[in-house]
């Protein structure tokens, strides 16, 4: 069936970083999209996909009315609190937003007869994994309330799918990065805690310096290694997972890692931003080595071979230059 003949796709958290890029790409592909977001962090993307329902997930009246009025057929669920550090300080808020919010959504879907869901999960469910690269079969060992909340929702989904009441795919992202400046979209977190935006802000003179959290890790240059994946490649994976559900190509529950399988160190990221900054004639910036940040594993790299074979997903934008170049352009040209 052509995408434009379908009923709507509900995108919870569709004003957030990955949600907004996915909503935009869905609309580009001709899907009717309904964004459902409470706009709680105050930073709304310039290119927000309309229509938008501004409400909380636990507002089941608003949620079910949106599902009925827009003839929703499937849901992509991003809405969540996402900061590891904040989750340690405010665990109840994380379980409320992430677990209770997801339960409210699942109950509403059940009452409205909806049985197709793509869920935004995270590599944080693995914690300090004993595998390298990390496959989906690695046991869950989250090291933060954030990771626990996502792992709990995955368990709920697996149990619910086992009853036959739901077909769901969870996508576990490694380090989401990049931007889509041509779409008017990028990363805006308040406060910002992620490495790439912080380094770019330093290069743009918006921050004094960059901190390296730990230079004594057992990695080639002593700094943490992560698997950075471009947000446009993540958006594509959501659409592939959605289409398998819509076409009946997948029933029950399953989960996929999304990453490149290639690790990059904190120093490599800083150097790539420095190069881009000098190429653009922006300023150089100071780098200071600090103590380790609590809870950071030395190396987190995905084994994403299952997503490649089962979803036919292949990252096209996740080389370091494209990730840094797109993120830089977003901050330099599109961020007030
Ligand atoms: N880092 C610095 N200096 C900074 C900020 C970060 O050295 O100013 C380092 C961190 O210690 C880490 C790396 O850069 O080693 C990446 O840090 P980010 O905060 O950008 O990302 P994380 O790897 O901590 O977290 C990301 C997502 C989480 C998700 C996790 C899963 O942001 O939501 O991956 O592994 F849970």
């Amino acid at each position: 069936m052509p995408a434009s003949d379908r009923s709507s796709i509900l995108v919870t958290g569709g004003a957030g970083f990955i949600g907004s890029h996915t909503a935009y790409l869905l609309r580009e592909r001709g899907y009717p999209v309904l964004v459902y977001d409470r706009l709680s962090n105050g930073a709304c993307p310039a290119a927000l996909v309309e229509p938008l329902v501004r409400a909380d997930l636990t507002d089941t009246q608003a949620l079910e009315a949106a599902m009925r009025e827009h003839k929703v057929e499937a849901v992509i669920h991003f809405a969540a609190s996402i900061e590891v550090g904040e989750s340690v300080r405010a665990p109840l808020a994380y379980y409320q937003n992430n677990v209770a919010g997801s339960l409210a959504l699942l109950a509403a879907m059940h009452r409205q007869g909806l049985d197709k869901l793509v869920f935004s999960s995270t590599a944080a469910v693995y914690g300090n994994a004993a595998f390298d690269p990390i496959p989906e079969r690695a046991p869950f060992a989250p090291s933060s309330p954030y990771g626990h909340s996502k792992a709990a929702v995955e368990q709920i989904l697996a149990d619910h799918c086992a009853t036959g009441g739901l077909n769901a795919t969870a996508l576990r992202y490694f380090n989401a990065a990049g931007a889509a400046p041509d779409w008017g979209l990028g990363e805006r977190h308040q406060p910002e805690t992620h490495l790439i935006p912080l380094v770019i802000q330093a290069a743009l003179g918006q921050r004094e310096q960059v901190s390296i959290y730990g230079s004594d890790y057992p990695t080639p240059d002593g700094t943490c290694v992560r698997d950075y994946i471009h947000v446009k490649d993540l958006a594509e994976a959501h659409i592939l997972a959605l289409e398998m559900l819509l076409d009946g190509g997948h029933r029950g529950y399953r989960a996929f890692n999304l990453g490149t399988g290639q690790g990059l160190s904190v120093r490599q990221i800083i150097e790539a931003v420095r190069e881009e900054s000098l190429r653009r004639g922006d300023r150089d910036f100071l780098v200071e080595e600090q103590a380790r940040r609590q809870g950071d594993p030395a190396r987190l790299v995905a084994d994403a071979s299952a997503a490649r074979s089962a979803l036919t997903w292949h990252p096209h934008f996740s080389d370091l230059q494209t990730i840094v170049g797109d993120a830089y352009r977003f901050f330099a040209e599109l961020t007030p």
Side-chain angles (χ1 to χ4, degrees):
M1 188 193 301
S4 53
D5 292 351
R6 292 201 179 274
S7 317
S8 295
I9 308 302
L10 181 75
V11 182
T12 77
F17 176 37
I18 308 167
S20 62
H21 289 74
T22 304
Y24 189 100
L25 190 60
L26 275 170
R27 196 186 55 187
E28 287 291 292
R29 299 276 166 86
Y31 285 95
V33 178
L34 174 64
V35 171
Y36 191 96
D37 199 301
R38 63 182 189 177
L39 304 181
S40 58
N41 70 9
C44 192
L48 185 62
V49 168
E50 300 279 358
L52 162 80
V53 174
R54 183 175 184 175
D56 196 275
L57 276 180
T58 54
D59 182 350
T60 44
Q61 261 191 345
L63 189 53
E64 291 190 52
M67 289 171 171
R68 277 194 308 272
E69 284 161 22
H70 292 264
K71 299 190 171 48
V72 168
E73 181 178 13
V75 179
I76 306 184
H77 176 34
F78 294 97
S81 299
I82 58 149
E83 290 298 335
V84 172
E86 186 186 53
S87 77
V88 175
R89 294 189 297 277
L92 295 187
Y94 271 68
Y95 289 112
Q96 174 62 34
N97 288 337
N98 298 359
V99 182
S102 297
L103 279 172
L105 172 68
L106 291 171
M109 287 178 68
H110 187 66
R111 282 191 294 270
Q112 295 300 318
L114 302 180
D115 66 354
K116 299 176 185 69
L117 177 79
V118 179
F119 175 61
S120 167
S121 189
T122 170
V125 296
Y126 299 120
N128 213 338
F131 290 78
D132 184 15
I134 303 173
E136 289 83 357
R137 68 172 193 287
F140 282 5
S143 53
S144 68
Y146 167 69
H148 276 291
S149 72
K150 289 286 184 175
V153 177
E154 282 211 38
Q155 185 63 54
I156 291 166
L157 292 178
D159 293 344
H160 188 27
C161 286
T163 68
L166 183 73
N167 301 298
T169 302
L171 300 176
R172 298 175 188 154
Y173 328 136
F174 281 63
N175 284 60
D182 294 341
W183 303 351
L185 294 173
E187 192 168 4
R188 262 186 251 252
H189 295 119
Q190 285 168 347
E192 189 52 77
T193 60
H194 295 92
L195 178 65
I196 296 177
L198 289 172
V199 184
I200 293 172
Q201 287 169 357
L204 291 171
Q206 298 165 4
R207 282 180 195 275
E208 282 300 303
Q209 61 183 42
V210 173
S211 300
I212 294 181
Y213 296 141
S215 49
D216 58 348
Y217 283 98
T219 58
D221 68 16
T223 65
C224 286
V225 169
R226 295 287 181 273
D227 184 337
Y228 294 87
I229 180 84
H230 198 294
V231 65
K232 282 163 74 174
D233 287 326
L234 291 179
E236 183 69 48
H238 288 79
I239 293 180
L240 290 168
L242 173 76
E243 288 177 341
M244 286 203 86
L245 289 167
L246 293 174
D247 298 345
H250 164 61
R251 298 194 68 75
Y253 174 71
R254 64 184 173 176
F256 296 107
N257 287 342
L258 298 180
T260 61
Q262 218 211 346
L264 293 167
S265 74
V266 172
R267 284 195 214 278
Q268 283 176 298
I269 296 290
I270 292 173
E271 284 319 307
V273 175
R274 198 193 301 278
E275 261 173 47
E276 181 66 17
S277 155
L278 296 177
R279 199 183 63 73
R280 298 173 64 106
D282 290 338
R283 63 169 227 161
D284 204 356
F285 49 87
L286 290 175
V287 177
E288 190 184 65
E289 293 184 10
Q290 293 200 359
R292 293 182 178 193
R293 191 171 68 177
Q294 208 189 346
D296 275 342
R299 184 180 154 90
L300 286 177
V301 174
D303 173 349
S305 51
R308 284 201 300 277
S309 55
L311 293 178
T312 63
W313 175 69
H314 300 283
H316 294 296
F317 304 102
S318 294
D319 58 283
L320 180 56
Q321 235 184 343
T322 306
I323 284 179
V324 167
D326 283 349
Y328 206 111
R329 234 187 96 202
F330 173 73
F331 279 104
E333 297 165 22
L334 294 171
T335 305

